[in-house]
Amino acid sequence: MTKTTKPNTAAQLEERLLTEDEIRAMGDDDYMNAAQLAFFRNRLQELEKELLKNAGETTEHLRETVLVPDPADRATIEEEHALELRTRDRERKLLKKVQQSLQSIDSAEYGWCEETGEPIGIPRLIARPTATLSLEAQQRRELKQKLYGD
């Protein structure tokens, strides 16, 4: 299968979002059709909303300054804040990937490996909707990093 743009052959599926099982059951000829793209767009938009909500909650949480005289309690609070900030930093990076994935849906590049142009695959995209490499390309990249460093 090669990267091509196809007209939608399942217009009735466009009206509602498909389930994961329906997406998995589709054949190779339906890869990245309009219904599948709508499914992944919805999944990415939901993830984006959740990440933005978490960021807002962190901001509010960090604004709540509690003055505690005990140094051990202060250290615990500071450690909790540091952990929360590390988590939000990871989520900020994920948010960027989510937004890039949404852009790739708009440009009809979503679902295709950046290195090889081959399909990434529905199971991989369901597990990691921000994937930009096929499993084989990702494994090659990780092996190269392991052998030669970054």
Side-chain angles (χ1 to χ4, degrees), residues 50-70:
E50 182 181 332
L51 292 171
L52 290 171
K53 183 181 126 248
N54 288 347
E57 288 174 0
T58 296
T59 303
E60 289 302 314
H61 184 251
L62 292 177
R63 283 186 183 152
E64 299 169 1
T65 49
V66 179
L67 297 175
V68 244
D70 183 31

Side-chain angles (χ1 to χ4, degrees), residues 4-16:
T4 58
T5 307
K6 292 183 171 192
N8 182 20
T9 57
Q12 71 277 9
L13 295 177
E14 258 189 279
E15 297 172 11
R16 67 172 180 82

Side-chain angles (χ1 to χ4, degrees), residues 6 11 29 38 46 64 116:
K6 292 183 171 192
D29 293 341
E46 291 297 319
E64 299 169 1
T116 65

Side-chain angles (χ1 to χ4, degrees), residues 70-81:
D70 183 31
D73 289 342
R74 251 193 332 263
T76 301
I77 290 170
E78 287 177 15
E79 185 61 32
E80 288 172 357
H81 284 182

